[in-house]
Every structure is written in C-alpha cells, then in structure tokens.
C-alpha cells in the first residue's frame, strides 16, 4: 500500500516536472507571464510531491517492510532507528530518490526568491532545474525503482516486480540483509547528504548561466545572483569531502584519510572546477573579464556533478561490462552528453556577446594571478579526470585494467598544489588592474621574513626533506600574509575610527564578509595542508605479532599487548577487541582498544582503530590478526601520523570561513546597487 | 705383525680421511643450504614495504598491505616466501604483474596502450601552458599608453566606488 502510494507520488512528480518544462519553454518563447507562472508553481509543487515519496520509503525502512527489495537490501532488525532512516541514501535506488528530493528542495528555494528584476531568467532556470530533476526522477521510475517488491510465482519462483504478477503471492523475508557495515558510521550518515547538497546546489548557478545564454543577457547579473548559491554549493561539497576523509580515517583501517579512490576523485572533480569558478567570477565582477571562461567553468562543473553521480552509480568503475549491462549507465552517459553538447552549443551561439570589457595589464595583477590559479586548478582536474577514466578506456580497448595509486597522484598533483598555496599567499596582496614586483615586494617583505623564520625552525628541528621544507615554508608564508593583511586592515580601522581592536576586527569582517571570510577559508586550507604534509611526509608504521606482555615500538611510542577478547554482541556483531597499554618515552599514557567488528547480517567486517590523538600526532593502532581460541596473542599494526589533527582543525576553520563568506549581508541588495550607481555610471551592478 | 698393524692403521687413516672429507662435504652442503636461507623469516614490516606498492588484484584500488581479504593475506604470505627465497622487491613486483596483470602496479608501466595515457597527459600540460603563454604574450605586446590609461583609471573608479559605498552603508547603519 505504502509502496504504491510512494510510487504514485513519484510518477506525479515526474509528470508535473514534464509539464513545468513544457510550460516554461512555451512561456519563455511566447513571452507569456501566465505560462511562466504556471511553470513556477509546477516547480514549487515538485518538492512536496517527492517529499511524499521519500517519507514513504523512510516509513517502510523503519517499519521493516522487507517485502520491498530496497528495504530488504539496506536494513535489518538489529539496526538502530537512526541508521534505518539514513538507509534512505544507503543504497542506489534510495540515493537517487534522495538526490531528487534535495534537487526539488533547491528548485523550490529558487522559485521562492524575488524575481522582479530577473523575470526573463525565470522560465529557463525552471527548464534547466526541472530537466535535471525529471531525469533523476525518471531513472527512479523506469530503472532503479525503490518500491519493487518480492513475489513468489505459482511455480515457486522468486521474482521482483513493482506490481503483483498474475498468480504470484507476496514474499516477505523475515529479516533484511542490513546496511553495508562501512556505512554504519556517523561520518557516513552525514557525508552523502553534504555531498549531494553540494552537487545539487551547483545545478542552480548552471541553470542561471544557461538562462543568461538563452536570453542573451550575458552581463554579470547571473553571476551576482548565483554568487551565494555557488558559495553554498562549495560549502556543502567541501563539508562532504572533509566528512568523507574523516570517515575513511576512522573506519577504513588503513591509517590514512584520502586514498585517491575513483569515488573520492569523482566527488573531488566538481570541487576543483567549482573552486576555480568561485575565484574566476570575482574577475568578471571586478574587471568584466573572463565571461566565456566563467561559462565554461559552470558548464564543466555541472557536467562533473552528473558525471560523479554517474561514476558511482553506473558500475562503470568496477567494469565496463557491468556498465554496458546496466540500464542506468548508458542513460546517464547520454544525459551528460546531451546536456554538455547543448550547453556548449549555446555558449558558442553567444560567443561574440561574451567579450571581455577589460584586459590583462600586468602579470602580477590580481586577475592575472587568479588566471594562474584557474590554470592550476584545471590542470589538477585534468590529471585527476584522466587518471580516473583511463582505466576504463584501457579496459575497453585492451581488456586490461590499470591502477593509478596514491603515489602517482601525489607525485603529479603535489607540485601543483604547492603552486596554488604560493598563489594563495601572493594574490591577496596584489591589486586589481595592475601590480609590479616593486609594489608586491613592498607589501610582502614583512610576512616573507616571518615565513623564513618558520623555515629556519623546521630546519632546526631536524626536517631535511626538501618537499617538507617547501611545504612548511608555504604554510608559514600564507598564514603570515593572511594575518598581516588582517592586522593591517584592523589597525587602519582602529586608527581612523578609534574603534577598539576587537570591534575593528568585527566591523572589518562584517563589512566585507566575502573577502575576509575568504581569507579565513585560506587559513583553513593551509592548516589542512599542514596536516597533509605531516601525514604524507612523516608517517611511519610497523606491524608485529605480540604475546601478552610483549611490546612494539614506533616513533617514541611503546605499545604493550595486554589481552584479547572475542564475543557476540546482541546487535548482530561479533567483536574481537584487543587491549594494549601505550607509553611514550617511558611515560604511561593509557590504554587503547582496537577492534574488528564482524556483522552477521551483511557478512562483512569493519576495522575500528584505537587512536591516541594530540595536536602533535596520532598513534593509530589496528588489530590485524589473531588466533581463534587464543587470547594471548594478536597481530597489531601501528601508524604514527604526525600533525594529522591540523587537517581536522583546518577543516573547522574552513567551515567557519565559509559561513562568514556566505552569511547574508545586512544591507539589502538595492542599497548596494544605488550606491554603485551613484559612485560611477561605468560600474553598474547589472 | 708390525706390517699388519701399519696396513690396518693405513686403512683406518684412509677411512678416517674419507669420513672427514665426506663430513666436510656434507657440512658444506648443509651450511650452504642454511646460508642460502635467511635464518630470520622476513618481518611483517619488510613484507608490507613491498605490499604497499602493489594493489589488490581483486579489490578496487586497495594497496595489498592493508587489504583485509583472505586472498590478500595469502598474497602477503607469498611476498614473505619470495623475500625469504632472496627475491628482490623489483623481482616480486614483476612477478605479481606477470601473474595478475599491470593493474597490481601503482601506475601503468610505459608500454603498449599505456603510452596513450602519458602522451595525452603531456598534451594537456602543453596546451595549458601554451594558453597561458598566449595570454601573457598578448599582455606584453599591448601598447604602454593603453596600460597607463587603465592603470590610472581603474583604481580611481574602484576607490570612488568603494568610498561611496562605504558612505552609503554608514548612513544606513546610523539610521537603523
């Protein structure tokens, strides 16, 4: 009953979306406000409709309706309630619904904004948003239906179908298979929604860009409208990536946070193009340049959003044969192809209208450095994208897959990331329009001296790796420049207005949230870089089989094996847990208990590390092996991860910066427009 | 009698010499076989050092040293065996690549179809650099006079704009 209800709501959502697309196109072409308004209301209606579908699935998951295949695949009796609810995005069919749900929510939010001055964009924003939504909803209806149920035919054959086949009776399993154990982690509960929110919110800037191309209103109005949408999309995408890293560190049991896995890279690609876009739009706003490039970036970002979902959902990563056999893969591929080609065709159609108002005048101007920043981001993107798809290409042509492991990616992208860090330090001090070595040098020399001091400290503490020394210097350089820039501006406010320093800081950030929020984001990134340098360049590890009382040492830490216990937990897990004493340089620090959980329902195990964390380092301990019926011996693996926690601290700073940058301005947009118009007839907001 | 004793002793000496020679040969053989093998089996760390640079042939992109599957545990034991037999790390990597294909290596070797990857990667980098150089060259070939106009003009517009904006914001702040 509930399955039929949810499926019915899904079909109505699909039909309403199709109607909205048709009405918006008709209204846009015929310039009919009535039809456009009707399309707007249709888009508004999609959210409550698909909410009914999503809530139906959640109720089925919570009420253990195992006759529904999706419920059977992702839940079991022993799972706690919160995991049953979040199992909505624990499997393919549910995650597609979840994607559509979020997409509808964002489409609704766009619908509710004030459209007074941008009425001509509205029908085309509706068309793009609803085409994207209709595609995903269509996939759920025709290919990955989450409401399909088990049936038993008259001949005793098990079947899966949406509606009861003739002569068949419902088949209701007594328990489900349960969620993949790796997904039963708080990080994984939040990680997919964040990533999906990032994905769907990038659809909105793309929709406005396409609307601008269709309507021919190719000034920077679309960029100004979508500035906050882009930032919000970037926030969610960044949060999703950070949470995914934390989850990998806590759950995957290999002592790291980022494995350059194809799924990780698929989520990283739109982040790269999105970050380039966030920087590049500033050039268009300030100097009227790179209009074509911004269009390219937003089109690429949208394509990568869909491509990322396609990669993780089509099975193409495991094998091209799986892709060819799946119905979802070719459909996704077709959708990406059609939308990408159509977008590029529109861009070419408006190519001449998108000429730059300004020109590059200096290699060291802010816009020239931003261009270099974009080039580096796109190079990293190309390297990652090519590394991601070449194994598929290789399998297609030779039948042989190849691997690109972390060392390969790190070798290629490491210098590019280092160059980006350098730009992050230099660019904020360069001026729009024109900068020279002299002006830049004058602005930079003080923080540069501080950064050289950081380098000296690193050398004095025994760091000899050239890569690490460059990395530490860059971290010191960016932090020094950012704080110096903050300090200079706060001091100037304090001197001019006699504001106390904290008030001057508050007002400074409040007056230019985007700029100073951006600098906080930069600080977050360099702190993250510090953690990454620590773990990538100084991580050490050892492994050994210990009897009770025996010890293993690593980087000053000594781990002494005390005991091992194995038992069946009432929640459906078999737990093997070792207890070890940890000491450092002879001082007892406490106990750690690494364990291995085996989930009976999913027949899968999960390695949970024992971790001792400080800002200096992590001691990361894994239970690798043990003998059954012998609790006096265990094989343990130790990782020493220096500075890793700066990665998480940096992530928090990053989030803080993103909130500052995205926080709505106190002043209404109109006031800013008036001030701008009064200031100069040449600098107009529209 | 003396001759008999001498003959006997000669025989004994000869037998003794033969026995010693045999024992020496046996010892040498035994010692040789023992020395050929490391008295200490390779440690987990030595095995993991090799396994870290190989990828699980079954699972996706998981290094062999951390892959939890039974198959990978057996492959790690195979690495231990090969190390104990005196194989070098390179020999072991080559052996795995021959057995399970290039996908076990951390990056595809420069051979056959893999050239396509490296050549195109190079093309991407060259195109990116060429685009950048073209933009920069365009910038350098522009007349200096035009530069001067823009240099003078742009900051003035910005400063004026920002000043007015700041004034407007201050007014609104005071009035609210």
């Amino acid at each position: 009953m509930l399955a039929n209800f949810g499926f019915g709501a899904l079909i109505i959502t699909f039909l309403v979306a199709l109607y909205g697309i048709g009405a918006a196109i008709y209204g846009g072409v015929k310039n009919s406000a009535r039809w456009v308004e009707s399309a707007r209301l249709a888009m508004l209606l999609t959210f409550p409709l698909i909410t009914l579908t999503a809530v139906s699935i959640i109720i089925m998951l919570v009420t253990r309706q195992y006759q529904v295949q999706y419920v059977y695949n992702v839940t079991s009796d022993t799972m706690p309630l919160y995991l049953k609810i979040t199992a909505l995005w624990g499997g393919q069919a549910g995650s597609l619904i979840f994607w559509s749900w979020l997409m509808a929510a964002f489409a609704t939010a766009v619908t509710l904004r004030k459209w007074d001055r941008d009425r001509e964009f509205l029908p085309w924003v509706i068309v793009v948003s609803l085409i994207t939504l209709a595609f995903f909803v269509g996939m759920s209806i025709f290919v990955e239906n989450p409401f399909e149920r088990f049936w038993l035919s008259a001949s005793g054959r098990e079947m899966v179908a949406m509606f009861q086949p003739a002569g068949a009776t419902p088949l209701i399993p007594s328990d489900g298979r349960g969620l993949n154990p790796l997904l039963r982690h708080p990080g994984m509960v939040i990680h997919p929604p964040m990533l999906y929110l990032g994905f769907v919110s990038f659809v909105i800037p793309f929709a406005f860009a396409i609307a601008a191309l269709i309507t021919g209103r190719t000034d920077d109005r679309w960029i100004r409208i979508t500035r906050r949408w882009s930032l919000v999309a970037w926030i969610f995408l960044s949060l999703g990536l950070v949470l995914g890293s934390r989850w990998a560190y806590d759950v995957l049991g290999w002592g790291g946070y980022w494995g350059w896995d194809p799924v990780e890279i698929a989520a990283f690609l739109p982040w790269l193009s999105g970050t380039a876009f966030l920087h590049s739009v500033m050039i268009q706003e300030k100097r009227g340049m790179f209009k074509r490039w911004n269009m390219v970036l937003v089109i690429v970002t949208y394509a990568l959003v869909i491509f990322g979902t396609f990669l993780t959902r089509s099975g193409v990563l495991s094998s091209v044969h799986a892709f060819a056999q799946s119905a979802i893969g070719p459909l996704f591929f077709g959708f990406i192809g059609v939308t990408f080609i159509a977008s590029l065709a529109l861009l070419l159609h408006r190519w001449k209208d998108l000429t730059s108002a300004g020109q590059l005048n200096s290699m060291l101007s802010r816009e020239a450095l931003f261009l270099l920043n974009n080039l580096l981001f796109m190079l990293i993107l190309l390297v990652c994208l090519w590394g991601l798809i070449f194994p598929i290409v290789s399998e297609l042509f030779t039948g042989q897959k190849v691997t690109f492991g972390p060392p390969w990616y790190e070798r290629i992208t490491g210098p590019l990331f280092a160059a980006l860090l350098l730009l992050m330090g230099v660019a904020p001090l360069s001026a729009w329009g024109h900068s020279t070595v002299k002006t830049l040098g004058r602005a930079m020399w003080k923080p540069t001296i501080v950064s050289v001091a950081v380098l000296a400290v690193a050398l004095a503490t025994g760091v000899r790796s050239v890569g690490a020394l460059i990395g530490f210097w860059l971290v010191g350089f960016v932090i020094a420049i950012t704080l110096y820039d903050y300090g200079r501006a706060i001091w100037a406010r304090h001197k001019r207005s006699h504001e106390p320093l904290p008030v001057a800081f508050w007002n400074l950030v409040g007056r230019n949230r985007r700029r100073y929020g951006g600098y906080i984001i930069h600080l977050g990134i360099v702190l993250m870089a510090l953690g990454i340098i620590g773990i990538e360049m100084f991580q050490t590890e050892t492994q050994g089989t210990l009897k009770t009382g025996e010890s293993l040492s690593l980087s000053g830490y000594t781990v002494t094996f005390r005991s091992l216990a194995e038992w069946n937990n009432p929640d459906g897990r078999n737990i093997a847990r070792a207890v070890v004493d940890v000491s450092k340089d002879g001082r007892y620090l406490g106990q750690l208990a690494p364990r291995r959980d085996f989930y009976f329902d999913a027949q899968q195990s999960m390695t949970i590390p024992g971790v001792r964390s400080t800002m200096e380092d992590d001691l990361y301990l894994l239970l690798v092996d043990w003998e059954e019926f012998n609790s006096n011996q265990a094989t343990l693996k130790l990782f020493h991860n220096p500075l890793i926690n700066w990665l998480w601290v940096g992530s928090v700073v990053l989030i803080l910066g993103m909130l500052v940058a995205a926080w709505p301005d106190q002043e209404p947009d109109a006031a800013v427009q008036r001030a701008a118009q009064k200031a100069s007839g040449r600098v107009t907001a529209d | 009698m003396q001759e008999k004793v001498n003959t006997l002793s000669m025989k004994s000496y000869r037998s003794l010499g033969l026995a010693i020679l045999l024992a020496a040969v046996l010892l040498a053989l035994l010692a040789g076989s023992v020395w050929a093998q490391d008295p200490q089996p390779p440690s987990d760390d030595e095995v993991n050092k090799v396994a870290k640079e190989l990828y699980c042939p079954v699972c996706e992109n998981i290094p062999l040293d951390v892959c939890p599957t039974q198959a990978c545990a057996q492959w790690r034991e195979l690495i231990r065996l090969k190390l104990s037999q005196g194989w070098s790390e390179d020999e072991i990597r080559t052996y795995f690549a021959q057995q399970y294909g290039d996908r076990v290596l951390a990056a595809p070797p420069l051979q056959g179809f893999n050239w396509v990857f490296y050549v195109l990667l190079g093309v991407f980098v060259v195109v990116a650099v060429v685009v950048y150089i073209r933009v920069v060259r365009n910038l350098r070939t522009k007349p200096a006079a035009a530069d001067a106009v823009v240099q003078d003009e742009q900051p003035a517009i910005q400063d004026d704009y920002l000043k007015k904006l700041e004034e407007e914001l201050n007014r609104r702040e005071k009035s609210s």
Side-chain angles (χ1 to χ4, degrees):
Chain A
M1 175 64 192
L2 199 56
N4 288 340
F5 175 76
F7 189 63
L10 195 63
I11 289 176
I12 297 170
T13 310
F14 185 63
L15 294 174
V16 167
L18 289 182
Y19 167 76
I21 295 166
I25 291 174
Y26 186 77
V29 171
K30 296 284 178 191
N31 206 13
S32 161
R34 214 157 48 92
W35 279 98
V36 174
E37 180 57 15
S38 178
R40 193 183 75 87
L41 292 175
M43 188 147 95
L44 203 60
L45 192 58
T46 55
F47 180 61
L49 279 171
I50 199 151
T51 301
L52 292 176
T53 300
V55 170
S56 302
I57 298 174
I58 291 171
I59 293 172
M60 291 191 308
L61 289 166
V62 171
T63 55
R64 303 182 298 161
Q65 299 200 22
Y66 298 127
Q67 74 276 20
V68 176
Q69 189 188 27
Y70 182 73
V71 177
Y72 170 79
N73 282 340
V74 296
T75 56
S76 64
D77 286 351
T78 50
M79 275 169 56
L81 179 66
Y82 81 98
L83 281 179
K84 284 180 179 167
I85 294 170
T86 58
L88 173 64
W89 51 86
Q92 175 133 304
S95 65
L96 283 174
I97 292 290
F98 188 57
W99 211 105
S100 305
W101 194 16
L102 296 177
M103 180 68 232
F106 273 75
T108 301
V110 169
T111 312
L112 294 174
R113 73 179 291 278
K114 280 180 192 167
W115 284 92
D116 310 340
R117 290 187 300 137
D118 317 301
R119 209 74 198 173
E120 68 265 50
F121 286 157
L122 180 57
W124 308 110
V125 169
I126 292 173
V127 169
V128 175
S129 305
L130 285 185
I131 284 178
T132 311
L133 180 64
F135 171 72
F136 278 88
V137 172
M139 294 280 253
S140 296
I141 293 172
F142 301 111
V143 186
E144 284 289 337
N145 185 348
F147 298 104
E148 284 186 335
R149 284 159 286 187
F150 293 113
W151 306 96
L152 199 61
S153 73
S155 60
R157 193 166 57 90
E158 285 179 19
M159 293 183 292
V160 177
M162 180 62 225
F163 299 107
Q164 189 167 14
T169 50
L171 179 65
I172 307 173
S174 58
D175 198 358
R177 277 164 47 183
L179 194 63
N180 182 337
L182 294 174
L183 305 181
R184 302 180 193 189
H185 179 271
M188 201 26 96
V189 167
I190 316 166
H191 160 73
M194 291 296 124
L195 217 51
Y196 282 13
L197 280 169
F199 282 175
V200 297
S201 36
F202 264 125
V203 175
I204 306 302
F206 171 74
F208 274 93
I210 295 298
L213 287 175
I214 292 174
T215 56
R217 195 176 166 185
T218 48
D219 55 11
D220 57 355
R221 180 64 192 157
W222 73 271
I223 277 182
R224 287 180 189 277
I225 297 170
T226 58
R227 181 198 287 167
R228 192 153 285 116
W229 287 101
S230 308
L231 201 54
V232 165
W234 194 80
I235 289 174
F236 284 125
L237 212 47
S238 306
L239 268 173
L241 288 168
V242 166
L243 285 168
S245 301
R246 183 69 213 197
W247 167 78
Y249 192 70
D250 286 348
V251 170
L252 293 186
W254 44 266
Y257 61 96
W258 184 264
W260 294 98
D261 177 78
V263 177
E264 290 172 336
I265 297 172
F268 190 44
L269 293 176
W271 185 89
L272 286 169
S273 58
T275 311
F277 177 68
L278 278 181
H279 286 91
S280 183
V281 291
M282 282 189 249
I283 309 174
Q284 186 169 338
E285 287 178 36
K286 299 276 184 187
R287 305 274 285 120
M289 296 160 66
F290 299 161
K291 290 179 180 173
R292 293 168 183 161
W293 179 238
N294 286 328
M295 284 288 177
V296 169
L297 281 179
V298 81
I299 290 168
V300 165
T301 305
Y302 175 80
L304 288 173
V305 160
I306 309 291
F307 182 67
T309 318
F310 154 75
L311 278 180
T312 49
R313 296 288 154 212
S314 65
V316 70
L317 289 174
S318 55
S319 147
V320 279
H321 309 298
F323 160 74
Q325 283 160 12
S326 78
I328 200 168
L331 281 173
F332 254 110
F333 201 68
F335 183 74
I336 294 168
V338 169
T339 50
F340 191 64
I341 290 168
S343 308
L344 287 183
L346 268 172
L347 176 60
L348 288 175
H349 176 62
R350 296 284 179 200
W351 194 254
K352 285 181 182 166
D353 302 338
L354 291 163
T355 46
S356 287
Q359 278 186 310
L360 279 180
N361 299 308
S362 153
M363 273 183 75
L364 294 174
S365 64
R366 179 87 64 96
E367 55 270 34
L369 295 180
F370 273 25
L371 174 69
L372 198 55
N373 147 306
N374 269 232
L375 179 83
L376 290 168
F377 272 116
M378 294 318 279
L379 265 179
I380 296 171
L381 190 151
L382 280 173
V383 167
C384 294
L385 182 66
W386 191 217
L388 183 66
I389 60 176
F390 186 74
I392 303 166
V393 176
S394 173
E395 193 191 2
L396 196 65
F397 285 99
T398 66
Q400 280 277 325
K401 281 198 98 165
V402 290
T403 303
F404 292 95
W408 184 83
Y409 281 106
E410 284 157 12
R411 214 168 34 241
I412 305 282
T413 61
L416 299 172
F417 280 118
L420 276 174
L421 275 183
L422 184 66
L423 279 178
M424 201 187 279
V426 177
L429 294 184
S430 70
W432 294 105
H434 192 80
S435 273
T436 61
V437 173
K438 200 174 164 187
T439 57
L440 212 49
R442 212 163 36 221
M444 278 172 45
W445 73 270
K446 286 177 191 165
T448 306
I449 287 175
V450 174
S451 69
V452 171
V454 171
L455 185 65
V457 170
L459 273 166
T461 51
V463 178
R464 291 294 176 268
S465 152
V466 175
L469 286 170
I470 293 172
F472 284 135
W473 174 73
L474 284 169
V475 167
F477 181 65
V478 180
I479 291 177
I481 279 188
T482 311
L483 294 182
Y484 175 69
D485 205 39
Y486 254 105
R488 231 172 28 162
I490 292 168
W491 189 249
R493 268 197 97 88
H494 169 70
K495 294 288 277 182
R496 194 186 64 194
S497 327
H498 305 292
E499 290 172 338
L501 289 175
V503 176
F505 166 74
W506 185 257
N507 286 337
L508 178 78
V509 175
R511 283 292 164 80
N512 200 342
R513 293 201 183 98
R514 193 185 185 193
R515 176 175 176 177
Y516 289 100
Y519 289 172
I520 296 173
I521 292 172
H522 283 183
L523 276 179
I525 296 278
V526 282
L527 291 179
M528 290 171 83
L530 185 64
I532 291 168
I533 293 166
I535 190 170
E536 293 298 337
M537 300 205 174
F538 300 102
Q539 185 186 50
T540 50
E541 62 178 79
T542 189
Q543 181 177 312
T545 302
L546 304 178
K547 290 190 170 67
T548 307
E550 286 185 339
S551 299
L552 201 58
S553 292
L554 180 71
S555 303
Y557 285 98
T558 302
V559 166
T560 307
F561 175 61
R562 288 294 167 216
S563 64
L564 178 89
E566 192 173 354
W567 71 93
N568 290 337
N569 230 38
D571 60 3
R573 283 181 296 169
N574 170 275
I575 297 176
R577 181 174 176 270
V579 176
V580 299
D581 288 343
V582 179
S583 57
K584 188 176 186 186
D585 301 326
R587 193 166 59 89
Y588 177 73
L589 297 174
Q591 286 194 325
L592 287 179
R595 61 175 214 268
R596 193 277 290 126
D597 295 358
F598 181 79
Y599 288 81
F600 293 114
D601 51 9
Q603 287 292 299
Q604 203 174 333
S605 60
M606 201 163 147
T607 310
I608 309 291
V611 184
R612 184 185 182 274
S613 278
T614 64
M615 289 316 293
E616 188 187 342
D617 56 17
D618 267 13
L619 178 71
Y620 186 99
L621 191 56
L622 296 170
L623 174 62
V624 175
D625 202 6
W626 65 97
E627 284 179 24
E628 220 173 337
F629 311 117
N630 180 7
S631 58
N632 299 322
Q633 183 174 302
T635 302
L636 299 170
K637 186 165 190 172
L638 275 67
F639 287 94
H640 178 243
N641 297 335
L643 303 174
I644 179 67
N645 285 303
W646 290 98
L647 177 59
W648 316 123
V649 170
S651 307
V652 174
V653 175
L654 182 88
I655 293 162
L656 194 70
M658 291 188 292
L659 290 176
V660 171
W663 201 262
D665 292 322
Q666 287 173 340
E667 298 303 322
D669 200 25
V672 177
Q673 299 293 327
R674 270 202 306 279
Q677 278 159 11
K678 280 180 192 171
S680 166
R682 290 186 59 177
V683 184
T684 55
D686 280 358
Chain B
M1 182 68 184
Q2 186 65 37
E3 236 178 72
K4 198 178 176 180
V5 170
N6 284 346
T7 315
L8 270 175
S9 12
M10 281 299 284
K11 273 184 182 171
S12 309
Y13 281 129
R14 212 174 287 153
S15 308
L16 188 64
L18 209 67
I20 289 170
L21 187 69
L22 197 68
V25 169
L26 279 173
L27 267 173
L29 283 173
L30 194 64
S33 67
V34 168
W35 289 333
Q37 288 179 356
D38 194 334
Q40 287 285 323
S43 68
D44 286 351
D45 287 346
E46 286 168 314
V47 172
N48 283 339
K49 187 167 173 262
V50 182
K52 206 178 185 63
E53 293 177 17
L54 290 168
Y55 285 78
C56 172
V58 179
C59 320
E60 287 290 325
N61 274 59
I62 299 180
L64 208 53
D65 65 322
V66 289
C67 184
T69 63
Q70 197 58 39
C72 284
Q74 286 169 1
W75 278 313
R76 284 194 291 271
E77 286 314 306
L78 185 60
I79 293 172
R80 196 188 303 274
L81 180 70
K82 299 287 180 196
L83 284 172
S84 70
Q85 289 170 346
W87 287 40
S88 71
E89 291 179 16
D90 274 344
E91 285 171 335
I92 295 172
R93 272 193 288 272
T94 309
Y95 168 80
F96 268 85
Q98 283 169 350
Q99 291 289 312
Y100 306 106
D102 287 347
R103 67 178 302 179
V104 300
L105 301 173
L110 264 173
Q111 60 187 38
F113 187 73
N114 298 337
W115 273 103
V116 175
F117 175 81
Y118 291 103
V119 168
L120 278 179
L121 189 64
V123 169
F124 293 151
V125 176
V126 169
V127 167
V129 172
V130 166
V131 167
Y132 185 71
I133 287 173
R134 278 193 63 178
V135 173
V136 170
R137 192 174 284 173
N138 181 39
L139 150 88
R140 281 183 170 171
T141 52
K142 280 170 58 190
D147 271 6
V149 171
V150 180
Q151 282 164 34
D152 291 337
E153 212 173 60
Q154 196 59 35
I157 290 169
Q158 281 197 337
D159 288 346
D160 190 28
Y161 164 69
L162 289 173
K163 198 177 153 199
K164 288 279 172 68
L165 190 58
E166 189 82 357
E167 281 169 7
E168 175 76 11
L169 292 173
N170 279 334
R171 264 201 307 279
R172 290 197 143 260
E173 205 165 63
K174 277 175 194 165
S175 64
S176 64

